[in-house]
Each structure stands twice: as C-alpha cells, then as structure tokens.
Amino acid sequence: MSQPVWVPKPEQMKLTRLYRFMNKHGYSDYDLFYEQSVRNIAWLWDEVVKDLGLEWIQPYRQVMDTSDGIAWTRWFVDGKINVAANCLDRFVKEPASRHRLALIWEGDNGETRKYTYRDLWVEVNRFARGLKQLGVGAGDRVAIYLPMIAENVIAMLAVARIGAIFTPCFSGYGAEAVATRIRDCEAKILITADGFLRRGKVIAMKEEADRAADLSPTIEKVVVVKRLGRECPWNRERDVDWGILTENMKALPPHVTDASDPFMIIYTSGTTGKPKGTVHVHSGFPVKAAFDAAFGFDVGPGDILFWVTDMGWMMGPWMVFGALMVGSTMLVYEGTPDHPAPDRLWQLVAKHGVTHLGISPTLVRALMKHGETWVSRHDISSLRVFGSTGEPWNPDPWYWLFEKVGHSQVPIFNYSGGTEISGGILGNNLLKPLAPCGFTGPLPGMDADVFDENGQPVRGRVGELVLRQPWVGMASGFWQDDKRYEATYWNRWPHIWVHGDWVEIDEHGFWFITGRSDDTLKIAGKRLGPAEMESVLVDHPAVLEAATIGVPDQEKGETAVCFVVVKPGAESSPALSRELIDFVSAQMGKALKPKRVHMVNELPKTRNGKILRRVIRAVYLGEEPGDLSSLENAGAVEVIRGLALKK
C-alpha cells in the first residue's frame, strides 16, 4: 500500500532513548527487541521503571500478577509509589533539574506564565494543603472542570499527591455532562474557573459549574480560579477562592499510595448509555505515558511537548504525565490554533521552541486550506517530531504536514490507542522508515495482532485490532461497573482484548487503521473502513473533509452515504454531488458506489477533532445518538437531521 518516505539516519537513531535502551540490553535490531518485549512482558516493564528512575516509597516484590485473569492484571505488586512525587519531588531534590522549566502556559490573549519544577512543586503543595483543609482525603473524588490553564495541571498533581482521585472534565461541557460524571464517581469537590478566553471572547464557566454542582448532591465545595477576575455568582456556603485556599506555603509530604491505588477516573463517551469511567492507577497511566513519550516520541529533558488538546481528553493528562515523568517541559495553551490568525499554532511553536507537536489530521486539514505562507512566516526549526492521534489520516493533509511544514525532515509519529490503554497500541518508530498515514507497528510491550471474524490472525485484509497480553497502563476496569468493562473489551474471544479498530497490515509490514469496527461498512459482502472512501473523496479538488456512514440497503445489505465539506471557492450543488458519486465509483468500483453525497458546512466533531461518525449515522437514520457531551458543534447535527428528513 505504501512505500517509506522518511528513513532515519544512523546518527539520529543512536541519539534516541529507545536505541540506548535497546543497546543497554544487547539489542541493535528493533524487531528482535520487540519480540523480546512481548515474549517477556514482566522483564520489559521492570527494566522500564528502572530506566525512568522512578522512586518507590516501598519496592514492589512482583512486576505483574494475573491470578485474577488477564483483564484484572495487577502491576508492581506491594509497591508503594506516588505519581506526584515522581513528577516533581525527585527533580526538585536535584540541583541540576529543580530550576528546569516544567510548564509554560499561554493564554488566548498572549499572556504567558512559566513554572520551573520547583515553582510547580510549590504550587502543587499549596493546593494539596488547601484540599486537605477542605476535608479531602485518600480515595475521595475531585472533579476538575477547568480551561487549559496552569491550575488545571496543579490541581491534578495536588489531588494525586494527597491520595485522592481526580476526574478531568472537558472545558466545553455543559452542566448536565459535568454533573453526569460527578454523580457517577460521587465527587465531593468541584474545581472550576470564573471563565476563560476563546477566540478573544469571554466564555463564562462558573455559572455552568454552579448548575452542575446544583445537580450533584455529593458536592460539598466549589473551588474557583479567578482566571478573568470577572463578576460572577458567589455562594458563600459552597464557593472557595483558589487564591485564598493556596496561601499556606508549607510543603506537604506525598501520601503513601499503593501501586494499584486509583489516581484518575477519566470518562469516555459511550455510543449508548452513560459515559464509561475508566479507572487508572498510580503505577499505570503515568508509567505508560512516560514510556511512550520517552521511548516512542523521544521526549526528554530540554524538550518542549505541546499537544493541541483539552484536559478532558486522554491526551491532556497524557501530556502532563508524559512530560513531567521524564523531566521535560509541557506547553499548555488556552486558545485555538488559528486565532487571531491562521498562523497562531506556528507562532506558538516558534515563540516557545516547541520540539514535539501533537496535532490531529482534522486540524491539519483546517490549517492547510490557508496555505503554507502562514507557516513560512515563523522559524519552526525547533520541531523534531510531529505527533498525531485521534483518527486515521488521509494522504493530502499527511503530505502537506510532512512536506510543506516539516520539509520532509520531521517525522510524523502516528499514534493510536485510547483512554483505556493510557497511550498507544500502535505507533511509528524513530528507528525505522515511516510510510504515509500508516504505523510501523505495535509499540514495545504491546502484543498486538489483527484477527478475522473467526479469531485467526489475518494479513493483507482488514481485521480487528486485538491484544494478546496485558500491559502497564491498562484500565483497572470502569468505575463501579466491572461487568460493563469485561463486556466491552474481553468478551469476544477468551483472554483477548478487542480494541474496536479495523486494521490492515500491508505487504511491506506497515499497519493502517481504516476506522472503528463499529463504523465499518459491509457493502455487497465487502468490508470497508470509512477512511478508505473518505480518502478518495478528499482527493477530489473540491473536497476539504468527508465522512462516510453505512445505511441499510435492500440489494447490497448496506450502502454508503457520504457527507462532505467543500473547499473555499467550490460551489455546493447537485451536479457536484453526482460528480463525487461517479468519482468514488471510478476509483473504488461500481459495487462501492455511494448512494448519496450530501454537502454540509461542517461535520460533527469533538474539540480535539474526532469526527463523530456514530452520531452522523444515528441522526441520519433517526436513531438515538447516545452521549453527545463531547460534541463541539451541535449545529452540524441539526443540519444532518434536516437532511435525513428530506431523504
């Protein structure tokens, strides 16, 4: 399917942490190292935590224990560890690292603040002590409903420091979505802000937080960050000023937490029913995030990691723990990548010297329509690696990022896993050639395969992405819903994790995700990932973005219906719709000819750029769309609802 377009140079390879780690254990060939990493899972993670220099309050006696079944593997048995101490204290103790930058924050309006590891440690201790004053103890749940500001990071670390559990909420949620999460985990504290800036406008937040608290009987106090200093409602019985709460500067020792103690419950939207509260533990998510950042993306001290995301999505906490656990720096940005002009993202990279930029294919498509002249205005030579996750690539935006922005020198580290994984299953590899839109394969320690419908490994055609063995970072179930966790991932084949992605391995050994398996079409007996048809559509000169769904069809069983956003200057018309139907038919064959192509102004997405195909399909077919709390643009759904009524 694809030939490599980027090949690492030997001198580049030798500088990577992965190469040094392999070399230390007697491996110079990555494939042999990978085989060892999945042949002896316990060996790998034992050596990884040593290499990361993690500090244990009490050493573990066993790396992994599967006596309760693979789905319930326990890691670093009897070990005591606190993630906040490993993110901060161990670096603050060392003169060489205590004054290294840990966090850079930039607001929508250009305001900037910087925190060294010691600065951040001080702020975390202050807030941790404040939480203790409010009666928060080990195991208590704290909901964090904050914009992308420094206090979001401080709150996460402070909650973990005292042994409590935080649940991050997307800053764009309405009150009901926040309350659903609060009620499910029975949080006693809600942390919010008076508001934030987005595209130069004030977005009120405290009022929404008040409504969420009113809907949540377990909330005792609402802690408020006065980000804007705006007038907002104030409940003297319930509200607490962050500034007043953090006046005590005395340090607070980290709580002694077990390796298997939860520190975070992060919710993912369900296709139906309530969101799933994924439970992560002190020795899980942070270790996996740090491993993928350090040994995958090659993030380390002196590097600046910036992922365009929100703390309510997995890649937000991943950035926090991936950066701090390896002693590097993160950039947290409040605003949007194209405000006040289309070069804001590149301006941020140049201003702060970003080395690792995480960006979604959807965002690249949005930026490329403005052309590369906006990129060339800035010196972005600090960039060493692009990261991408969230959805499959189409060739055009991938090549634009690689060639026009990175000048064919900056590798695109394609990365796919999920909230329940704590990072990636599949990734690229800075020691091997990279192919457009694809993956070099599974990350070390991830025993991945592709199964057909009979549970047999398959090559050269699409199958289910599965994992044969446990891994550090695997979810410790869903909050108070173990049966749902087992039913979601472990019930199809014995002792096999079924991830829900359709994947194909081509003749060169590159892996390609073609879409979610619940998004997959089966037209006239042929399985088709929506990304395949979408890639054809965006190859048409008039099409900017596309989404494909399957709808019931009497003749074929199922047929494709497509939704496209046309490029500026192109005209939406019935003639263009017919042209696109014929274009797909000519490229993919008459059997896969779409039934309809609809023109829309935008596709339903989350803020981090995922196209919500399940929502498109449900609304178009008049079905219940399920949880819409992660939706960024509700108007796009109503347009599709209108199209459905006309069909």
Side-chain angles (χ1 to χ4, degrees):
M1 289 170 71
S2 285
Q3 294 290 339
V5 295
W6 180 86
V7 179
K9 297 171 183 171
E11 58 270 24
Q12 289 176 312
M13 294 165 61
K14 290 176 182 176
L15 291 173
T16 65
R17 186 162 185 169
L18 177 58
Y19 182 89
R20 297 196 303 271
F21 183 76
M22 285 168 42
N23 211 247
K24 174 178 162 185
H25 295 287
Y27 293 92
S28 56
D29 179 271
Y30 174 79
D31 292 333
L32 291 176
F33 167 73
Y34 171 76
E35 289 302 321
Q36 168 64 7
S37 81
V38 294
R39 187 165 50 242
N40 194 338
I41 298 280
W43 165 83
L44 174 74
W45 294 109
D46 189 32
E47 294 299 332
V48 164
V49 296
K50 291 175 187 172
D51 199 82
L52 288 170
L54 300 191
E55 292 189 350
W56 297 85
I57 301 166
Q58 174 180 301
Y60 51 91
R61 63 173 176 81
Q62 184 180 349
V63 175
M64 57 189 284
D65 176 4
T66 59
S67 57
D68 292 332
I70 287 178
W72 302 103
T73 300
R74 291 177 62 225
W75 294 91
F76 307 109
V77 180
D78 290 344
K80 308 290 184 187
I81 190 169
N82 186 290
V83 61
N86 274 281
C87 284
L88 297 174
D89 296 53
R90 65 189 174 110
F91 297 112
V92 172
K93 282 189 289 191
E94 298 297 327
S97 55
R98 68 171 62 116
H99 299 302
R100 183 189 302 153
L101 270 183
L103 168 63
I104 303 168
W105 172 76
E106 180 161 320
D108 182 79
N109 60 352
E111 179 188 353
T112 303
R113 295 209 308 264
K114 296 183 179 182
Y115 299 78
T116 65
Y117 271 80
R118 191 181 184 283
D119 294 335
L120 193 56
W121 177 82
V122 168
E123 295 301 325
V124 167
N125 273 280
R126 283 178 167 181
F127 191 56
R129 191 168 285 281
L131 288 172
K132 294 279 280 186
Q133 288 171 8
L134 295 180
V136 180
D140 287 338
R141 276 78 66 202
V142 176
I144 302 175
Y145 176 47
L146 284 170
M148 290 295 277
I149 55 178
E151 287 82 358
N152 208 323
V153 178
I154 292 164
M156 286 183 186
L157 293 165
V159 171
R161 188 173 192 85
I162 62 175
I165 305 165
F166 69 85
T167 187
C169 300
F170 169 47
S171 61
Y173 279 153
E176 183 55 54
V178 176
T180 298
R181 287 149 178 80
I182 292 172
R183 290 194 300 263
D184 187 68
C185 71
E186 298 178 301
K188 66 191 292 185
I189 303 290
L190 173 61
I191 305 169
T192 192
D194 55 356
F196 59 100
L197 297 176
R198 185 168 170 82
R199 296 189 176 279
K201 296 178 181 176
V202 171
I203 307 296
M205 202 170 197
K206 173 63 162 57
E207 291 84 348
E208 212 66 36
D210 283 345
R211 285 193 283 274
D214 291 343
L215 293 166
S216 309
T218 57
I219 290 295
E220 298 173 6
K221 296 291 182 182
V222 176
V223 180
V224 185
V225 179
K226 294 186 175 178
R227 157 74 183 104
L228 301 177
R230 60 178 282 269
E231 287 291 325
C232 56
W234 198 263
N235 181 335
R236 291 187 178 182
E237 298 298 314
R238 189 171 67 187
D239 296 342
V240 181
D241 186 325
W242 172 292
I244 295 172
L245 192 64
T246 56
E247 286 178 338
N248 191 332
M249 294 183 63
K250 192 176 178 184
L252 188 72
H255 186 80
V256 178
T257 47
D258 191 85
S260 59
D261 283 346
F263 83 105
M264 175 173 71
I265 303 168
I266 184 166
Y267 285 85
T268 59
S269 299
T271 304
T272 57
K274 67 178 184 178
K276 301 172 296 214
T278 306
V279 179
H280 286 297
V281 301
H282 278 259
S283 69
F285 186 102
V287 179
K288 172 64 171 164
F291 176 77
D292 287 4
F295 297 88
F297 290 86
D298 200 43
V299 176
D303 290 326
I304 296 175
L305 172 64
F306 173 34
W307 210 283
V308 183
T309 186
D310 187 276
M311 290 302 170
W313 311 135
M314 189 212 82
M315 291 310 295
W318 183 95
M319 174 173 65
V320 172
F321 297 104
L324 296 180
M325 292 278 283
V326 302
S328 66
T329 308
M330 82 186 87
L331 170 62
V332 172
Y333 173 53
E334 177 186 47
T336 52
D338 57 353
H339 177 82
D343 62 342
R344 183 63 182 270
L345 181 66
W346 315 119
Q347 184 188 60
L348 285 163
V349 170
K351 178 180 177 180
H352 299 294
V354 172
T355 55
H356 294 72
L357 175 64
I359 189 170
S360 70
T362 294
L363 179 52
V364 174
R365 284 192 290 270
L367 294 174
M368 68 185 280
K369 69 184 180 186
H370 300 292
E372 55 268 21
T373 53
W374 289 98
V375 184
S376 60
R377 295 182 181 194
H378 303 280
D379 178 4
I380 58 171
S381 58
S382 59
L383 280 174
R384 291 201 293 113
V385 179
F386 290 117
S388 80
T389 193
E391 58 178 326
W393 279 97
N394 306 117
D396 275 2
W398 193 97
Y399 275 107
W400 185 82
L401 182 65
F402 181 66
E403 294 177 349
K404 304 299 184 184
V405 181
H407 303 292
S408 303
Q409 299 300 310
V410 181
I412 298 174
F413 194 106
N414 211 6
Y415 186 56
S416 186
T419 304
E420 294 86 351
I421 303 295
S422 299
I425 298 174
L426 303 179
N428 277 334
N429 186 316
L430 302 181
L431 305 182
K432 299 188 77 172
L434 307 185
C437 307
F439 303 84
T440 51
L443 293 162
M446 306 303 287
D447 192 3
D449 208 337
V450 180
F451 278 9
D452 65 14
E453 56 272 19
N454 300 314
Q456 297 301 310
V458 62
R459 298 293 182 266
R461 60 187 177 91
V462 170
E464 286 273 8
L465 177 62
V466 300
L467 286 162
R468 297 176 181 274
Q469 295 190 72
W471 65 97
V472 162
M474 62 192 295
S476 294
F478 295 152
W479 183 254
Q480 296 181 335
D481 202 348
D482 291 348
K483 288 183 179 177
R484 188 182 183 194
Y485 170 66
E486 290 180 344
T488 302
Y489 292 110
W490 296 99
N491 267 9
R492 187 162 178 191
W493 294 298
H495 314 303
I496 296 290
W497 169 283
V498 179
H499 191 59
D501 278 345
W502 280 122
V503 171
E504 183 174 352
I505 306 173
D506 76 2
E507 66 272 21
H508 302 294
F510 291 109
W511 296 50
F512 293 85
I513 291 178
T514 61
R516 295 292 295 169
S517 53
D518 51 8
D519 289 336
T520 298
L521 293 71
K522 192 170 185 180
I523 302 172
K526 176 177 170 54
R527 287 192 186 278
L528 178 76
E532 294 180 62
M533 191 168 287
E534 291 160 5
S535 290
V536 172
L537 284 163
V538 296
D539 278 343
H540 189 281
V543 177
L544 178 66
E545 285 189 302
T548 297
I549 63 168
V551 301
D553 181 83
Q554 284 188 339
E555 290 182 19
K556 298 179 180 180
E558 192 171 38
T559 189
V561 172
C562 306
F563 301 81
V564 301
V565 178
V566 300
K567 290 180 180 175
E571 186 178 346
S572 298
S573 67
L576 179 57
S577 179
R578 290 191 296 271
E579 182 182 330
L580 291 172
I581 290 171
D582 292 340
F583 183 73
V584 173
S585 177
Q587 297 285 322
M588 303 191 73
K590 289 183 179 179
L592 299 178
K593 181 178 180 177
K595 184 175 184 178
R596 291 188 181 91
V597 173
H598 293 290
M599 314 285 170
V600 293
N601 290 327
E602 56 181 348
L603 298 169
K605 295 175 189 172
T606 63
R607 185 181 288 184
N608 63 337
K610 280 189 181 181
I611 296 170
L612 295 172
R613 294 181 188 85
R614 65 160 179 90
V615 171
I616 296 173
R617 186 178 189 276
V619 170
Y620 191 73
L621 294 177
E623 298 171 353
E624 172 55 47
D627 178 30
L628 297 178
S629 57
S630 62
L631 186 67
E632 165 80 348
N633 48 350
V637 172
E638 294 312 310
V639 170
I640 291 166
R641 202 184 302 277
L643 291 170
L645 293 173
K646 294 176 185 176
K647 71 176 190 278

